Amino acid sequence: NYAFHHCSSLTSITIPNSVTSIGNYAFYNCSSLTSITIPKGVTSIGRYAFSYCYSLTSITLPESLTSIGKYAFSDCSSLTSITIPNGITSIADYIFADCSSLSSITLHEGVTSIGEGAFAGCTSLTSFTIPEGITKIARATFNGCSALTSITIPEGITSIDGYAFWGCSGLTYIISKPTTPPTCGNNAFWNMDNTIPVYVPCGCVNAYKAAMNWKFFKNFQSSDQFTITVQS
C-alpha cells in the first residue's frame, strides 16, 4: 500500500512478473505517469491504486485479474480506453469516475454487478453496453455522461437507483427491454431531454407511462424487435 503514492515526477515503471497484487493507493497521484502494463500474474488491484494519475493515457490489464478496488482509476483524465478482463465479474464503486477522456469501455458478458458512480463524469463516453447479467443499475452509475448517445436497458434489470443517468444530456433514445418497468430512484433520468423516444416492449407503454420516475418521459414507443433506426 502507498508504495509510490505522490511520486509526481515518475513517468514510467516496470513491474516485475513476480508481483501478484498492487496495493491500495500504490500509484495514487503519480501525475506524470503516462502508461503502465500490469504483469500477467497480478490478481488484484487495490482501491485508489491509480487514482489521480492525470497523464496516464493507456493501461493494459492482465487476464489474471479477479478484483479491482473502488476508485482504482478515478480522475485518470487522459485515459481514453479500457478493456476489463474476463476474470472481473464486479465493477467497483467509482472505479472510472471523472475519467473525462474515456471514450471506450469494453466489458464482457460475465460481469454481474456495476457499482455506484462507476462511470460518473466520463464526459467523453459515447456508447456503452450493459451486460445482460446485470440486474440493477446503481446510484449515479452514468451521472454526467453527457456524450452518451443511447442506452439499452437489458431484460434482467429490475431497479435503477437515483441519479443513475442524471445529466446524460446527449441521449437521443433509450431502449428498455423489461416488460415490467424497473423501479427508479429519484432523479434517475433528470437533467436530460424528456422528449427523446423511449422504446419499450409491445403492450407495455401504459405501464411505463404510469411508473414512478419513468413518467418523466413524454415519448414512449412500443417495439417487438428493438431494431431501432434513428434518422439524422
Side-chain angles (χ1 to χ4, degrees), residues 11 33-34 43 51 62 84 87 91 95 148-149 151:
T11 59
L33 190 66
T34 58
T43 59
S51 185
I84 303 298
I91 305 300
I95 186 171
L148 199 63
T149 58
I151 199 75

Side-chain angles (χ1 to χ4, degrees), residues 130-168:
I130 300 174
E132 292 292 335
I134 300 292
T135 59
K136 171 185 175 181
I137 299 175
R139 181 179 177 85
T141 297
F142 299 98
N143 188 312
C145 291
S146 55
L148 199 63
T149 58
S150 66
I151 199 75
T152 298
I153 298 170
E155 291 182 37
I157 297 290
T158 59
S159 64
I160 300 172
D161 287 351
Y163 299 92
F165 296 100
W166 187 93
C168 291

Side-chain angles (χ1 to χ4, degrees), residues 6-17:
H6 295 297
C7 289
S8 57
S9 296
L10 183 68
T11 59
S12 65
I13 190 164
T14 301
I15 301 175
N17 292 332

